[in-house]
Amino acid sequence: MAAPTDDRPWSADPYSRALRTGQGPLFLRRPDGWLLPLEVERWCADADAADLGVLRRCEGAVLDVGCGPGRLVAALAGRGRRVLGIDVSEAAVTRTVRLGGPALRRSVFDPLPGEGRWGTALLVDGNIGIGGDPAALLDRMAQLLAPGGLLIAETVPDLDLDERVQVHVTDAHGATGTAFPWARLGTPALLRHAERAGWRAVDQWTAGGRSFAALRSRRHRSTSSTAEPPKSTAVISSQRARKPSADRPVAEA
């Protein structure tokens, strides 16, 4: 599976600056001028009640895909759970490690520790949009999880949305990054993609105005993974692809 190769949208200002300061506003901007707000302050705060509801459902070793500044990784590590965050943003990985959470600067489409052995994988804060191709991402998640492993994905609340867009990161001052593909899914659309990709839905819930779905893959691996097992050590290495986004768009004023 080919991975996106341009990491600039998530590895340079204004995104990196927002993570370093813990403050927005920050947006994904579509070509038609709509702005998708990124919840930088929430990402940089402690895990909230909705996040804790996700973490309580986690099983076994946890892989947080697009971990951002690391609130979920840090919360799990603080509870003694085996966890690893991955992100293509150096600022995100640095902040996660500073919080005490293990993290790698790496794309989900790169080789990863413990492939085929993770108990749970997380795609929260809009990360079902990574790469702009939900089917490809779901296929990759099935490769990473152990047979019967759990995938928890956050979806756009209250909408049957299935959108592919080109976006770029922008801040309130108009600083922008390079355009890249993104996807936005409501829960019904996610479940349709999941069914076609060999997943079954095991739970759906809402909390704090956010929507989530839990899936298990029906597929069985034909070959055993030779990748190293999940580690609890933080390593910063080479990067590639994309990173998280957020909620529903607001019209540009």
Side-chain angles (χ1 to χ4, degrees):
M1 179 184 302
T5 57
D6 186 357
D7 58 32
R8 287 173 294 173
W10 298 110
S11 60
D13 292 342
Y15 179 72
S16 295
R17 182 168 57 246
L19 286 198
R20 292 187 186 106
T21 63
Q23 295 180 337
L26 198 68
F27 307 91
L28 293 185
R29 184 186 179 100
R30 300 192 314 206
D32 62 5
W34 284 71
L35 300 176
L36 289 70
L38 304 181
E39 299 181 75
V40 175
E41 289 84 357
R42 179 173 66 80
W43 297 349
C44 291
D46 292 338
D48 62 17
D51 295 327
L52 296 178
V54 169
L55 302 188
R56 282 193 294 271
R57 290 170 166 84
C58 290
E59 304 168 356
V62 181
L63 179 67
D64 186 2
V65 176
C67 65
R71 74 188 190 281
L72 302 184
V73 176
L76 286 165
R79 289 160 173 75
R81 298 292 299 271
R82 204 171 192 183
V83 60
L84 176 68
I86 60 168
D87 203 289
V88 298
S89 164
E90 181 178 2
V93 169
T94 298
R95 185 161 181 146
T96 300
V97 172
R98 189 177 299 130
L99 290 175
L104 288 168
R105 188 182 178 193
R106 201 170 293 181
S107 162
V108 66
F109 296 104
D110 287 335
L112 293 173
E115 294 203 13
R117 296 187 176 95
W118 293 98
T120 302
L122 303 179
L123 288 170
V124 299
D125 299 331
N127 283 332
I128 190 62
I130 287 173
D133 187 342
L137 183 58
L138 287 169
D139 184 66
R140 177 59 174 149
M141 302 311 293
Q143 295 170 10
L144 294 171
L145 285 166
L150 187 69
L151 172 62
I152 300 178
E154 184 171 354
T155 59
V156 178
D158 304 323
L159 291 176
D160 186 3
L161 180 69
D162 191 349
E163 179 181 69
R164 313 290 185 281
V165 290
Q166 288 283 325
V167 295
H168 57 254
V169 180
T170 186
D171 63 17
H173 305 291
T176 62
T178 305
F180 60 94
W182 199 254
R184 300 177 65 242
L185 300 181
T187 297
L190 172 62
L191 297 184
R192 289 193 295 270
H193 284 287
E195 176 68 22
R196 290 193 293 268
W199 298 81
R200 62 183 176 90
V202 294
D203 199 3
Q204 300 173 49
W205 70 98
T206 60
R210 298 161 63 194
S211 297
F212 304 90
L215 309 170
R216 292 191 193 277
S217 177
R218 295 190 179 99
R219 291 184 288 182
H220 299 283
R221 267 167 262 286
S222 59
T223 60
S224 61
S225 172
T226 58
E228 56 187 311
K231 294 185 185 288
S232 59
T233 332
V235 181
I236 299 177
S237 68
S238 62
Q239 71 173 358
R240 238 166 259 164
R242 319 264 99 107
K243 216 230 106 229
S245 115
D247 258 311
R248 78 182 67 192
V250 294
E252 183 184 32

Tab-separated table of all heavy atoms in Angstrom, residues 98-146:
chain	number	residue	atom	x	y	z
A	98	ARG	N	7.164	14.379	26.152
A	98	ARG	CA	7.323	15.248	27.316
A	98	ARG	C	6.274	14.941	28.380
A	98	ARG	O	6.534	15.088	29.582
A	98	ARG	CB	7.246	16.709	26.891
A	98	ARG	CG	7.606	17.698	27.985
A	98	ARG	CD	7.573	19.125	27.462
A	98	ARG	NE	8.532	19.324	26.389
A	98	ARG	CZ	8.260	19.880	25.220
A	98	ARG	NH1	7.026	20.278	24.956
A	98	ARG	NH2	9.202	20.032	24.325
A	99	LEU	N	5.088	14.511	27.952
A	99	LEU	CA	4.036	14.139	28.902
A	99	LEU	C	4.255	12.763	29.526
A	99	LEU	O	3.490	12.349	30.392
A	99	LEU	CB	2.673	14.145	28.194
A	99	LEU	CG	2.096	15.497	27.789
A	99	LEU	CD1	0.803	15.296	27.006
A	99	LEU	CD2	1.856	16.384	29.008
A	100	GLY	N	5.263	12.044	29.067
A	100	GLY	CA	5.533	10.717	29.601
A	100	GLY	C	4.947	9.591	28.782
A	100	GLY	O	4.916	8.442	29.234
A	101	GLY	N	4.481	9.901	27.562
A	101	GLY	CA	3.900	8.877	26.702
A	101	GLY	C	4.866	8.450	25.623
A	101	GLY	O	5.502	9.293	24.984
A	102	PRO	N	5.020	7.175	25.354
A	102	PRO	CA	5.881	6.710	24.267
A	102	PRO	C	5.274	7.053	22.914
A	102	PRO	O	4.068	6.918	22.708
A	102	PRO	CB	5.945	5.196	24.474
A	102	PRO	CG	4.698	4.860	25.221
A	102	PRO	CD	4.394	6.047	26.083
A	103	ALA	N	6.098	7.517	21.992
A	103	ALA	CA	5.588	7.930	20.687
A	103	ALA	C	6.671	7.801	19.631
A	103	ALA	O	7.860	7.948	19.924
A	103	ALA	CB	5.073	9.372	20.737
A	104	LEU	N	6.245	7.539	18.410
A	104	LEU	CA	7.114	7.470	17.240
A	104	LEU	C	6.688	8.511	16.229
A	104	LEU	O	5.486	8.679	15.984
A	104	LEU	CB	7.023	6.096	16.575
A	104	LEU	CG	7.656	4.895	17.251
A	104	LEU	CD1	7.189	3.622	16.560
A	104	LEU	CD2	9.168	5.001	17.207
A	105	ARG	N	7.640	9.149	15.599
A	105	ARG	CA	7.339	10.037	14.486
A	105	ARG	C	7.273	9.182	13.218
A	105	ARG	O	8.285	8.898	12.583
A	105	ARG	CB	8.410	11.117	14.356
A	105	ARG	CG	8.068	12.188	13.345
A	105	ARG	CD	9.196	13.183	13.242
A	105	ARG	NE	8.920	14.197	12.236
A	105	ARG	CZ	9.824	15.037	11.765
A	105	ARG	NH1	11.072	14.974	12.208
A	105	ARG	NH2	9.498	15.925	10.854
A	106	ARG	N	6.057	8.796	12.874
A	106	ARG	CA	5.890	7.834	11.801
A	106	ARG	C	4.458	7.877	11.277
A	106	ARG	O	3.525	8.204	12.008
A	106	ARG	CB	6.218	6.425	12.313
A	106	ARG	CG	6.556	5.436	11.223
A	106	ARG	CD	7.104	4.151	11.803
A	106	ARG	NE	8.401	4.335	12.448
A	106	ARG	CZ	9.087	3.357	13.020
A	106	ARG	NH1	8.602	2.127	13.011
A	106	ARG	NH2	10.248	3.610	13.596
A	107	SER	N	4.294	7.542	10.015
A	107	SER	CA	2.982	7.409	9.404
A	107	SER	C	2.394	6.038	9.705
A	107	SER	O	3.126	5.054	9.850
A	107	SER	CB	3.110	7.585	7.887
A	107	SER	OG	1.974	7.078	7.222
A	108	VAL	N	1.071	5.970	9.725
A	108	VAL	CA	0.407	4.687	9.904
A	108	VAL	C	0.719	3.735	8.758
A	108	VAL	O	0.664	2.509	8.917
A	108	VAL	CB	-1.118	4.888	10.059
A	108	VAL	CG1	-1.738	5.427	8.774
A	108	VAL	CG2	-1.811	3.602	10.483
A	109	PHE	N	1.103	4.263	7.585
A	109	PHE	CA	1.405	3.429	6.432
A	109	PHE	C	2.867	2.986	6.390
A	109	PHE	O	3.252	2.221	5.508
A	109	PHE	CB	1.038	4.158	5.146
A	109	PHE	CG	-0.439	4.427	5.026
A	109	PHE	CD1	-0.946	5.697	5.260
A	109	PHE	CD2	-1.313	3.406	4.711
A	109	PHE	CE1	-2.305	5.944	5.162
A	109	PHE	CE2	-2.678	3.641	4.605
A	109	PHE	CZ	-3.172	4.920	4.832
A	110	ASP	N	3.677	3.476	7.315
A	110	ASP	CA	5.059	3.016	7.443
A	110	ASP	C	5.104	1.705	8.226
A	110	ASP	O	4.154	1.361	8.941
A	110	ASP	CB	5.900	4.048	8.203
A	110	ASP	CG	6.206	5.288	7.385
A	110	ASP	OD1	6.206	5.197	6.148
A	110	ASP	OD2	6.442	6.343	7.996
A	111	PRO	N	6.208	0.945	8.147
A	111	PRO	CA	6.378	-0.202	9.035
A	111	PRO	C	6.319	0.249	10.503
A	111	PRO	O	6.915	1.265	10.871
A	111	PRO	CB	7.772	-0.728	8.674
A	111	PRO	CG	7.999	-0.248	7.272
A	111	PRO	CD	7.332	1.088	7.187
A	112	LEU	N	5.598	-0.507	11.319
A	112	LEU	CA	5.389	-0.131	12.718
A	112	LEU	C	5.708	-1.297	13.647
A	112	LEU	O	5.583	-2.466	13.259
A	112	LEU	CB	3.936	0.298	12.936
A	112	LEU	CG	3.492	1.587	12.248
A	112	LEU	CD1	1.998	1.787	12.417
A	112	LEU	CD2	4.256	2.784	12.802
A	113	PRO	N	6.095	-1.007	14.878
A	113	PRO	CA	6.297	-2.081	15.851
A	113	PRO	C	5.003	-2.865	16.081
A	113	PRO	O	3.915	-2.303	16.079
A	113	PRO	CB	6.697	-1.329	17.125
A	113	PRO	CG	7.167	0.005	16.669
A	113	PRO	CD	6.372	0.326	15.442
A	114	GLY	N	5.136	-4.149	16.281
A	114	GLY	CA	4.011	-4.968	16.703
A	114	GLY	C	2.914	-5.137	15.679
A	114	GLY	O	1.757	-5.390	16.046
A	115	GLU	N	3.228	-5.046	14.395
A	115	GLU	CA	2.174	-5.219	13.388
A	115	GLU	C	1.512	-6.587	13.544
A	115	GLU	O	2.170	-7.601	13.659
A	115	GLU	CB	2.752	-5.067	11.980
A	115	GLU	CG	3.252	-3.662	11.699
A	115	GLU	CD	3.290	-3.336	10.221
A	115	GLU	OE1	2.706	-4.094	9.411
A	115	GLU	OE2	3.892	-2.300	9.881
A	116	GLY	N	0.192	-6.575	13.565
A	116	GLY	CA	-0.565	-7.804	13.740
A	116	GLY	C	-0.712	-8.243	15.180
A	116	GLY	O	-1.255	-9.324	15.437
A	117	ARG	N	-0.279	-7.400	16.141
A	117	ARG	CA	-0.326	-7.800	17.546
A	117	ARG	C	-1.062	-6.814	18.456
A	117	ARG	O	-1.259	-7.098	19.626
A	117	ARG	CB	1.098	-7.999	18.075
A	117	ARG	CG	1.859	-9.134	17.407
A	117	ARG	CD	3.182	-9.352	18.129
A	117	ARG	NE	3.911	-10.492	17.575
A	117	ARG	CZ	4.852	-10.401	16.649
A	117	ARG	NH1	5.164	-9.214	16.154
A	117	ARG	NH2	5.466	-11.466	16.203
A	118	TRP	N	-1.440	-5.660	17.947
A	118	TRP	CA	-2.083	-4.668	18.809
A	118	TRP	C	-3.484	-5.118	19.206
A	118	TRP	O	-4.249	-5.616	18.396
A	118	TRP	CB	-2.143	-3.320	18.091
A	118	TRP	CG	-0.778	-2.738	17.880
A	118	TRP	CD1	-0.015	-2.802	16.749
A	118	TRP	CD2	0.007	-2.047	18.860
A	118	TRP	NE1	1.196	-2.188	16.958
A	118	TRP	CE2	1.247	-1.715	18.241
A	118	TRP	CE3	-0.203	-1.678	20.182
A	118	TRP	CZ2	2.245	-1.025	18.915
A	118	TRP	CZ3	0.794	-0.991	20.857
A	118	TRP	CH2	2.004	-0.673	20.223
A	119	GLY	N	-3.817	-4.916	20.475
A	119	GLY	CA	-5.146	-5.264	20.955
A	119	GLY	C	-6.196	-4.249	20.559
A	119	GLY	O	-7.341	-4.591	20.264
A	120	THR	N	-5.813	-2.950	20.566
A	120	THR	CA	-6.731	-1.862	20.229
A	120	THR	C	-5.980	-0.832	19.400
A	120	THR	O	-4.812	-0.544	19.675
A	120	THR	CB	-7.280	-1.176	21.502
A	120	THR	OG1	-7.939	-2.130	22.318
A	120	THR	CG2	-8.273	-0.064	21.148
A	121	ALA	N	-6.648	-0.256	18.421
A	121	ALA	CA	-6.129	0.898	17.685
A	121	ALA	C	-7.151	2.017	17.776
A	121	ALA	O	-8.369	1.775	17.736
A	121	ALA	CB	-5.849	0.551	16.228
A	122	LEU	N	-6.667	3.245	17.904
A	122	LEU	CA	-7.524	4.419	18.040
A	122	LEU	C	-7.381	5.324	16.817
A	122	LEU	O	-6.268	5.615	16.368
A	122	LEU	CB	-7.148	5.212	19.290
A	122	LEU	CG	-7.193	4.477	20.622
A	122	LEU	CD1	-6.761	5.408	21.755
A	122	LEU	CD2	-8.585	3.915	20.895
A	123	LEU	N	-8.518	5.779	16.305
A	123	LEU	CA	-8.585	6.806	15.268
A	123	LEU	C	-9.547	7.886	15.762
A	123	LEU	O	-10.702	7.947	15.341
A	123	LEU	CB	-9.074	6.220	13.940
A	123	LEU	CG	-8.127	5.314	13.170
A	123	LEU	CD1	-8.856	4.634	12.016
A	123	LEU	CD2	-6.910	6.088	12.656
A	124	VAL	N	-9.084	8.720	16.686
A	124	VAL	CA	-9.944	9.747	17.265
A	124	VAL	C	-9.590	11.112	16.683
A	124	VAL	O	-8.656	11.250	15.894
A	124	VAL	CB	-9.848	9.753	18.804
A	124	VAL	CG1	-10.290	8.405	19.377
A	124	VAL	CG2	-8.432	10.086	19.264
A	125	ASP	N	-10.361	12.133	17.067
A	125	ASP	CA	-10.110	13.511	16.636
A	125	ASP	C	-10.092	13.650	15.118
A	125	ASP	O	-9.315	14.422	14.558
A	125	ASP	CB	-8.791	14.030	17.221
A	125	ASP	CG	-8.778	14.045	18.734
A	125	ASP	OD1	-9.868	14.189	19.322
A	125	ASP	OD2	-7.699	13.897	19.330
A	126	GLY	N	-10.937	12.878	14.449
A	126	GLY	CA	-11.038	12.990	12.997
A	126	GLY	C	-10.065	12.153	12.214
A	126	GLY	O	-10.015	12.236	10.984
A	127	ASN	N	-9.291	11.294	12.879
A	127	ASN	CA	-8.225	10.567	12.187
A	127	ASN	C	-8.703	9.479	11.236
A	127	ASN	O	-7.885	8.914	10.492
A	127	ASN	CB	-7.251	9.969	13.200
A	127	ASN	CG	-6.318	11.024	13.748
A	127	ASN	OD1	-6.015	12.002	13.086
A	127	ASN	ND2	-5.868	10.839	14.976
A	128	ILE	N	-9.993	9.189	11.201
A	128	ILE	CA	-10.512	8.324	10.146
A	128	ILE	C	-10.284	8.977	8.782
A	128	ILE	O	-10.327	8.313	7.739
A	128	ILE	CB	-12.020	8.031	10.376
A	128	ILE	CG1	-12.527	6.943	9.427
A	128	ILE	CG2	-12.857	9.291	10.284
A	128	ILE	CD1	-11.859	5.603	9.582
A	129	GLY	N	-9.984	10.267	8.782
A	129	GLY	CA	-9.732	10.992	7.545
A	129	GLY	C	-8.336	10.850	6.985
A	129	GLY	O	-8.061	11.317	5.872
A	130	ILE	N	-7.426	10.221	7.710
A	130	ILE	CA	-6.027	10.142	7.287
A	130	ILE	C	-5.904	9.581	5.873
A	130	ILE	O	-6.433	8.519	5.566
A	130	ILE	CB	-5.220	9.271	8.276
A	130	ILE	CG1	-5.000	10.026	9.595
A	130	ILE	CG2	-3.875	8.869	7.681
A	130	ILE	CD1	-4.362	9.183	10.692
A	131	GLY	N	-5.212	10.324	5.014
A	131	GLY	CA	-4.954	9.880	3.655
A	131	GLY	C	-6.086	10.088	2.674
A	131	GLY	O	-5.916	9.869	1.479
A	132	GLY	N	-7.272	10.482	3.166
A	132	GLY	CA	-8.397	10.730	2.274
A	132	GLY	C	-9.007	9.492	1.657
A	132	GLY	O	-9.771	9.588	0.698
A	133	ASP	N	-8.721	8.311	2.203
A	133	ASP	CA	-9.200	7.047	1.628
A	133	ASP	C	-9.564	6.101	2.775
A	133	ASP	O	-8.736	5.312	3.222
A	133	ASP	CB	-8.125	6.430	0.749
A	133	ASP	CG	-8.606	5.199	-0.016
A	133	ASP	OD1	-9.644	4.617	0.363
A	133	ASP	OD2	-7.935	4.817	-0.988
A	134	PRO	N	-10.807	6.171	3.287
A	134	PRO	CA	-11.186	5.344	4.432
A	134	PRO	C	-11.009	3.846	4.195
A	134	PRO	O	-10.637	3.115	5.112
A	134	PRO	CB	-12.664	5.698	4.655
A	134	PRO	CG	-12.808	7.058	4.078
A	134	PRO	CD	-11.885	7.100	2.900
A	135	ALA	N	-11.256	3.372	2.974
A	135	ALA	CA	-11.117	1.938	2.701
A	135	ALA	C	-9.663	1.499	2.871
A	135	ALA	O	-9.381	0.457	3.475
A	135	ALA	CB	-11.610	1.623	1.292
A	136	ALA	N	-8.731	2.292	2.339
A	136	ALA	CA	-7.313	1.956	2.483
A	136	ALA	C	-6.881	2.008	3.937
A	136	ALA	O	-6.096	1.168	4.407
A	136	ALA	CB	-6.464	2.898	1.638
A	137	LEU	N	-7.388	2.987	4.670
A	137	LEU	CA	-7.011	3.110	6.079
A	137	LEU	C	-7.564	1.940	6.887
A	137	LEU	O	-6.864	1.369	7.734
A	137	LEU	CB	-7.520	4.436	6.633
A	137	LEU	CG	-7.146	4.736	8.083
A	137	LEU	CD1	-5.629	4.747	8.289
A	137	LEU	CD2	-7.752	6.073	8.525
A	138	LEU	N	-8.810	1.554	6.651
A	138	LEU	CA	-9.378	0.409	7.360
A	138	LEU	C	-8.611	-0.866	7.056
A	138	LEU	O	-8.409	-1.716	7.935
A	138	LEU	CB	-10.856	0.247	6.999
A	138	LEU	CG	-11.805	1.278	7.605
A	138	LEU	CD1	-13.183	1.179	6.959
A	138	LEU	CD2	-11.911	1.109	9.124
A	139	ASP	N	-8.185	-1.029	5.812
A	139	ASP	CA	-7.374	-2.194	5.457
A	139	ASP	C	-6.060	-2.193	6.231
A	139	ASP	O	-5.621	-3.232	6.735
A	139	ASP	CB	-7.111	-2.187	3.951
A	139	ASP	CG	-6.358	-3.421	3.504
A	139	ASP	OD1	-6.916	-4.529	3.589
A	139	ASP	OD2	-5.196	-3.280	3.077
A	140	ARG	N	-5.432	-1.033	6.339
A	140	ARG	CA	-4.178	-0.937	7.087
A	140	ARG	C	-4.399	-1.225	8.575
A	140	ARG	O	-3.578	-1.903	9.213
A	140	ARG	CB	-3.576	0.463	6.899
A	140	ARG	CG	-2.293	0.701	7.689
A	140	ARG	CD	-1.221	-0.283	7.314
A	140	ARG	NE	0.049	0.022	7.966
A	140	ARG	CZ	0.946	-0.886	8.318
A	140	ARG	NH1	0.718	-2.187	8.082
A	140	ARG	NH2	2.069	-0.526	8.897
A	141	MET	N	-5.492	-0.752	9.135
A	141	MET	CA	-5.762	-0.995	10.558
A	141	MET	C	-5.936	-2.491	10.821
A	141	MET	O	-5.501	-3.001	11.854
A	141	MET	CB	-7.007	-0.228	11.006
A	141	MET	CG	-6.940	1.272	10.798
A	141	MET	SD	-5.435	2.061	11.407
A	141	MET	CE	-5.628	1.815	13.161
A	142	ALA	N	-6.553	-3.204	9.890
A	142	ALA	CA	-6.706	-4.650	10.052
A	142	ALA	C	-5.351	-5.353	10.070
A	142	ALA	O	-5.177	-6.366	10.746
A	142	ALA	CB	-7.592	-5.211	8.933
A	143	GLN	N	-4.385	-4.812	9.312
A	143	GLN	CA	-3.046	-5.395	9.324
A	143	GLN	C	-2.336	-5.171	10.656
A	143	GLN	O	-1.536	-5.996	11.088
A	143	GLN	CB	-2.205	-4.772	8.202
A	143	GLN	CG	-2.693	-5.075	6.801
A	143	GLN	CD	-1.952	-4.231	5.767
A	143	GLN	OE1	-0.968	-3.573	6.082
A	143	GLN	NE2	-2.432	-4.253	4.534
A	144	LEU	N	-2.633	-4.056	11.310
A	144	LEU	CA	-1.939	-3.704	12.545
A	144	LEU	C	-2.495	-4.435	13.760
A	144	LEU	O	-1.759	-4.753	14.694
A	144	LEU	CB	-2.032	-2.193	12.775
A	144	LEU	CG	-1.289	-1.321	11.759
A	144	LEU	CD1	-1.630	0.150	11.964
A	144	LEU	CD2	0.212	-1.544	11.856
A	145	LEU	N	-3.802	-4.692	13.758
A	145	LEU	CA	-4.438	-5.299	14.919
A	145	LEU	C	-4.251	-6.813	14.941
A	145	LEU	O	-4.146	-7.464	13.906
A	145	LEU	CB	-5.932	-4.995	14.915
A	145	LEU	CG	-6.327	-3.568	15.300
A	145	LEU	CD1	-7.780	-3.306	14.932
A	145	LEU	CD2	-6.091	-3.328	16.795
A	146	ALA	N	-4.238	-7.361	16.144
A	146	ALA	CA	-4.295	-8.804	16.306
A	146	ALA	C	-5.650	-9.315	15.833
A	146	ALA	O	-6.630	-8.558	15.808
A	146	ALA	CB	-4.086	-9.165	17.776
